[in-house]
Every structure is written in C-alpha cells, then in structure tokens.
Amino acid sequence: MTKKIAEKSKLVNLLPDPEPPAAPAAQPLVAEDAATQRKAYTGVGQMMGVLGRSSPLGKELAEVKARLREYEGSVPLKLLDARTIARSRLANRHESEFESADFAKLKGEIEHAGVNVQPVKVRPIEDADTRRDGVQYELVFGHRRHRACLELGMPVLAMIESVSDKQMWLTMDRENRERRNLSPWEQGQSIQRALQANLFSSIRRLAEESGMDHSNAAKALRLAELPAAVVAAFSSPADIQLHWARPLSEALQKDPDGVLSRAKAIAGRGTVPRAPKAVLDELLGMAQVRGLADKRHLKKDGKTVAVLTQKAGGALAVEIRQPVDMADVEALLKKLLKL
C-alpha cells in the first residue's frame, strides 16, 4: 500500500519546506506568490508530506539535500590516466624547463607522495576529431605536474571544468604567476599565442584583464619576437632578461646581419655553458668595445703554439710561441692580405 501511495505522490514535492507559523488573528493573511509557494495539491500528497517530514527516510533525504548544497559551485576532482590529457596549444613552458633541477625535484616529490598533491586543471575535449589516441582532456594549468606524472607512469589528480580559450589562458597565466613564474621569454611566448588566437583585442587589453603591467607585457612580447638564432645563442631562453628586450630589438633594427652572424658564431661553439651577460655583450657587438678581446688558441700536441687576438676596433694580433722563419711568416701574411 505504501508503495502505491509513493508512486502516486511523484507529482508533488516529497519534502516541502516547513510551513511558516500562522499569522496572529488580528492581522489579515497576505496571499503568497503562487510561483514560490510549494503546496501538496492532493490529499495523498499532503499525507506523504507529513510522512516525509516525520519518517527516518524523510530526515535522511533532508540531510542529503543539505550536504549537496554545501558542494554547489565546486569543481570535481578525479584521478585520470595522464595519457588521456593533451598539452594545451596555449602552453607556455619551454621544453628546457622539463630538464631543470627544479623539475627533477618536483618529480621526486610527486613520486614520494604517490600522487600530485596539488591537482592540475583540465577541460574536456568536445571536438571528436581532436579526441584521438585516447586523449579526452586538454590541460588548463599544471603542465609540470602532468609531465612528471606522465614520466613516472602515475595517474594525475585533476580538476575537470569546461572553460573557454580566454578563460583557460587567464587561468593558466594566474596559476603560473602564483606558483612558479615563467621566464620573461616564456611569458612573451604566452602573450604572443594569446594575441595570435585573438583572445584579446590588444596587448593593452590583455594586460588589463590579466592584471599584468602593460610595459612589462610589451617587453616580454619583444623577447618572443626575437629571431630563433638569437635565442639559440643563450644556453637557455630562460637566461634572457626582460630589460634586454629594448637593446636587442634596437640592435636588430640597426644591424640585423651583424647580430645574426654573431648569434650563429656563439651557438656554433657548442653547448658549453655561456654567461648570459657575456652573450648579450657579444650580440650587441660590445665585447670589443669593452676590451673583452676574442682570443683563439692554436694548439699542437696539447700545447699552445699560437694565439690569435681580435682587439678593440677589430685589429687582429698574432702571437707565435715557437721558433719560425720570419721570412716564411711574412710571405704567408702577404698572401693572406693580397699584398
């Protein structure tokens, strides 16, 4: 019987809110808005309302409703297979970041904890053409944490929320600045991608909406626009400082061939760590002006036998440290100088 009554009561609210206390007799009753006043329209419904408020089941359902209200507006957390998450097309971390000591430390912490304690954020990929090879989500922020979990073969703890491209960029930018700042060059790359994707009408608008200093945003964008050869002259793009944007841009405007030639020469020396300021001076052609001569040692059997020195102003000096015939040297120099 109870089951039949419950089925008939589906058209009414099982748990109506408690009725307000009756108004004093001396005061006239005020009719409530019919849209906001919830009533049981049948006798069965009224009976179920009373039973619902007084029964253990009704109380339990009321508690569940109250608990659900506590989670309104929250974002769900879930352990995801790291392989189902794709790097964002607006990602702003350079590949060298994942080879740094800081990344190695982060990776070790996640491995020790067994999970990334701070969750990443992802958005579901709606486009069926994009969902390939099992990829279902796109990273909003947390590229370093995701990469660490991916390399460790661990699931990644993630917040899942649908956001627009613009919201994704703003969230990513805010997260990076709160946790581990991007290098000026990486920041410039991020700004450049946002503008190319037409997420903002101008760099000034981007700065306003992200809370970024407009002047610094413009300098970072200048660094992102540097030729690849100039960036490659530094040991890492992270070495390029924000206040170098102007002198490098001006040097490229005045003498682009010279800057690019010097950049290629620096990069051609191999992967030996290079002091960022020394690289800047050389790119700007300031090494000789400041008396930092360019020396090249010629060796034989591990011993230096001659030193070529390019001094300030471009003059070249040759120092020979073993016995040679003066006439032979003179003949070679005449031939070299076409005298």
Side-chain angles (χ1 to χ4, degrees):
M1 180 66 179
T2 303
K3 182 176 180 181
K4 290 183 179 180
I5 293 175
E7 289 176 349
K8 291 181 180 180
S9 67
K10 288 180 181 178
L11 299 177
V12 300
N13 186 0
L14 181 62
L15 291 174
D17 293 335
E19 295 290 336
Q27 298 179 0
L29 292 175
V30 180
E32 296 184 4
D33 187 348
T36 58
Q37 184 180 18
R38 293 186 291 173
K39 294 181 178 180
Y41 291 96
T42 67
V44 175
Q46 290 176 347
M47 182 186 300
M48 289 305 300
V50 173
L51 291 174
R53 287 194 297 271
S54 60
S55 69
L57 175 60
K59 292 178 180 179
E60 184 176 345
L61 289 174
E63 290 177 3
V64 171
K65 279 187 175 182
R67 290 178 185 176
L68 289 175
R69 281 196 293 269
E70 294 177 4
Y71 292 95
E72 287 181 0
S74 62
V75 178
L77 286 178
K78 189 175 181 180
L79 278 174
L80 301 175
D81 186 334
R83 295 170 296 181
T84 66
I85 304 172
R87 177 182 172 92
S88 169
R89 62 186 178 86
L90 298 174
N92 44 26
R93 291 288 182 192
H94 187 259
E95 192 63 24
S96 62
E97 173 65 29
F98 304 113
E99 300 171 359
S100 66
D102 284 340
F103 176 71
K105 180 180 178 182
L106 172 66
K107 186 175 174 181
E109 290 172 351
I110 291 175
E111 184 176 24
H112 179 73
V115 69
N116 52 304
V117 178
Q118 295 294 334
V120 305
K121 188 171 186 176
V122 300
R123 67 175 182 176
I125 296 176
E126 307 295 344
D127 184 7
D129 292 335
T130 308
R131 297 182 64 163
R132 297 174 181 173
D133 301 325
V135 173
Q136 301 176 45
Y137 304 95
E138 181 180 11
L139 271 170
V140 175
F141 63 70
H143 286 77
R144 296 168 73 244
R145 281 163 277 168
H146 170 253
R147 179 68 167 266
C149 290
L150 193 62
E151 293 183 2
L152 291 167
M154 295 170 52
V156 57
L157 184 64
M159 295 181 281
I160 306 172
E161 185 177 10
S162 294
V163 295
S164 67
D165 285 351
K166 184 176 181 178
Q167 289 172 323
M168 180 169 70
W169 189 90
L170 287 170
T171 304
M172 187 188 305
D173 179 72
R174 182 171 56 252
E175 169 75 6
N176 282 324
R177 282 193 277 165
E178 288 177 355
R179 293 192 177 278
R180 188 181 187 282
N181 260 339
L182 298 173
S183 69
W185 183 84
E186 287 175 318
Q187 185 72 67
Q189 290 282 308
S190 177
I191 292 171
Q192 187 179 57
R193 291 192 185 101
L195 294 176
Q196 289 174 345
N198 296 317
L199 302 185
F200 302 91
S201 57
S202 66
I203 189 171
R204 184 173 294 279
R205 187 65 182 167
L206 177 149
E208 289 174 355
E209 293 197 38
S210 65
M212 198 182 304
D213 180 81
H214 173 257
S215 175
N216 288 342
K219 291 176 183 176
L221 183 58
R222 277 188 179 184
L223 293 181
E225 293 170 346
L226 291 173
V230 173
V231 176
F234 293 89
S235 296
S236 167
D239 291 340
I240 308 174
Q241 298 183 26
L242 190 65
H243 61 277
W244 293 352
R246 182 174 179 179
L248 283 170
S249 296
E250 290 179 348
L252 282 164
Q253 289 178 358
K254 293 178 181 178
D255 182 22
D257 293 338
V259 174
L260 291 175
S261 177
R262 290 189 287 271
K264 291 175 182 178
I266 296 169
R269 296 172 194 161
T271 58
V272 178
R274 300 183 282 275
K277 188 61 171 62
V279 173
L280 175 69
D281 287 342
E282 191 167 348
L283 287 172
L284 300 178
M286 298 295 292
Q288 287 82 12
V289 175
R290 295 184 180 181
L292 302 177
D294 181 11
K295 290 188 175 183
R296 300 188 183 184
H297 294 253
L298 305 181
K299 296 185 178 182
K300 181 180 180 181
D301 299 328
K303 182 179 179 181
T304 300
V305 295
V307 179
L308 304 180
T309 306
Q310 188 167 26
K311 298 182 178 180
L316 183 65
V318 180
E319 179 185 355
I320 300 176
R321 299 181 179 179
Q322 72 174 22
V324 292
D325 187 279
M326 181 67 75
D328 291 341
V329 174
E330 183 179 4
L332 288 172
L333 285 173
K334 285 181 178 181
K335 183 178 180 181
L336 177 64
L337 299 173
K338 299 180 181 178
L339 298 178

